[in-house]
Amino acid sequence: MKTLIQATAILALTAGMGMAQTVRLGTEGAYPPYNLINDAGEVDGFERELGDELCKRAELTCEWVTNDWDSIIPNLVSGNYDVIMAGMSITPERDEVIDFTQNYTPPSSSSYVGLSDDVDITGGVIAAQTATIQAAHVAETGATLLEFATPDETVAAVRNGEADAVLADKDFLVPIVAESGGELTFVGDDVPLGGGVGAGLRESDTELKEKLDAAIGSMKEDGTLNAMITKWFGEDALTYE
């Protein structure tokens, strides 16, 4: 009888372990410093460090997966992963399809970058990544929108003359301009878009959202989120007061 009870207990424990949920974090891996793939072939960047810390604070077992940007929301909805952490700005249009945590970066600006500071950003050809708030903004101006699947392709389009300028998150463009040796320059005024970057979830995952919201809130309160933002985006980056 004792052996039977022990065996039953072991089976129950094993079943419980098998039922333990692993939260899958989906990212693009192509939008530094938010997310990137490092030399070891691993997901890295601001969101990797942030996501690992959020999982630790929320006592979640997490793993990272990568997905192309243009299908990142459909694949969340269909269950290929549980959370999007991919530099995704919170917008009313996206919020109609998925849910968001509170933002983990303050609302920041987008910027135009071209080969000279006098290019026509209102009537010229502007490159932007597909399905971004920047692409939507360009479509509403008098400019011609040229969409690409990856952010690197948008910058390449400017360099090879396909586009007059690129519109993207300024945080993404700052290091590219700095490392271009004067080849690239910012054009015109910054453009405020979106409500900050947050983690995207399925509408039904309310418990997971609550856990991540609490973890983000705790990082805001103790200052670790601001420190992480400054580490990855520089001393001039917008932080929380």
Side-chain angles (χ1 to χ4, degrees):
M1 178 64 72
K2 182 177 180 181
T3 303
L4 178 60
I5 293 173
Q6 288 176 333
T8 303
I10 292 171
L11 286 171
L13 178 60
T14 303
M17 291 172 61
M19 293 173 64
Q21 180 187 12
T22 296
V23 176
R24 298 156 298 169
L25 307 178
T27 194
E28 183 184 15
Y31 205 59
Y34 287 97
N35 55 84
L36 58 120
I37 303 299
N38 62 24
D39 293 339
E42 299 172 339
V43 174
D44 205 341
F46 166 70
E47 284 169 317
R48 173 61 193 265
E49 185 175 358
L50 173 62
D52 287 350
E53 179 63 21
L54 294 178
C55 289
K56 178 181 176 181
R57 294 187 181 215
E59 299 182 343
L60 298 171
T61 300
C62 295
E63 65 180 26
W64 288 88
V65 298
T66 56
N67 193 95
D68 291 341
W69 173 262
D70 58 359
S71 61
I72 204 164
I73 289 179
N75 279 326
L76 169 72
V77 174
S78 64
N80 289 348
Y81 36 81
D82 307 297
V83 181
I84 294 174
M85 292 191 69
M88 182 172 284
S89 296
I90 301 168
T91 67
E93 294 78 15
R94 289 171 178 156
D95 201 30
E96 290 179 1
V97 181
I98 61 174
D99 207 352
F100 283 96
T101 63
Q102 62 177 297
N103 61 38
Y104 51 74
T105 69
S108 58
S109 297
S110 297
S111 297
Y112 290 95
V113 163
L115 296 178
S116 65
D117 59 9
D118 61 352
V119 299
D120 184 4
I121 57 175
T122 59
V125 178
I126 307 299
Q129 188 176 13
T130 301
T132 60
I133 55 176
Q134 290 83 13
H137 177 78
V138 174
E140 294 174 354
T141 70
T144 299
L145 171 63
L146 189 59
E147 294 183 274
F148 293 90
T150 68
D152 286 344
E153 289 176 296
T154 64
V155 178
V158 175
R159 284 188 159 122
N160 64 28
E162 288 183 80
D164 298 304
V166 54
L167 180 64
D169 287 316
K170 189 170 186 178
D171 292 329
F172 168 71
L173 292 170
V174 164
I176 292 175
V177 172
E179 295 167 8
S180 72
E183 177 192 15
L184 298 170
T185 186
F186 287 101
V187 182
D189 297 327
D190 291 345
V191 183
L193 296 173
V197 172
L201 307 95
R202 290 181 288 273
E203 295 279 1
S204 58
D205 287 339
T206 54
E207 183 178 351
L208 180 56
K209 178 187 174 182
E210 290 173 0
K211 290 180 178 180
L212 292 177
D213 266 333
I216 295 169
S218 71
M219 290 186 70
K220 288 179 178 179
E221 290 174 5
D222 66 20
T224 53
L225 183 52
N226 280 348
M228 202 174 288
I229 291 171
T230 301
K231 171 186 173 180
W232 286 99
F233 296 99
E235 296 291 335
D236 295 331
L238 294 175
T239 55
Y240 294 97
E241 297 181 357

